[in-house]
Amino acid sequence: DKAMATSVFFRERAAQAQRDADNATLDNVRDSHIVARDTWIEMAEKAESTVKGREANEAEKRALAEA
């Protein structure tokens, strides 16, 4: 599913941002990477929420069709 692949990509970017923050020697660079990490995580969570909502809607439609 495209949305889950997007979520995986976002999580990979978050992990890279964390590694970059861990390796940063300047506080402002580290902080920038932390902000990026948090943003990537937020986007991943939104993508995952969208997938869950879509799955719930499809399950509800199937249940109504079977009723």
Side-chain angles (χ1 to χ4, degrees), residues 1-2 16 18 20 28 34 41 45 47 53:
D1 181 75
K2 183 178 179 182
Q16 181 61 52
Q18 180 63 59
D20 292 342
N28 63 326
I34 296 289
I41 290 170
E45 289 171 349

Side-chain angles (χ1 to χ4, degrees), residues 4-39:
M4 283 309 287
T6 300
S7 173
V8 169
F9 172 77
F10 291 160
R11 296 239 177 239
E12 290 169 352
R13 300 309 315 144
Q16 181 61 52
Q18 180 63 59
R19 288 190 295 276
D20 292 342
D22 292 342
N23 293 325
T25 56
L26 299 173
D27 289 343
N28 63 326
V29 174
R30 184 179 305 108
D31 292 345
S32 177
H33 289 301
I34 296 289
V35 168
R37 179 206 60 198
D38 293 346
T39 302

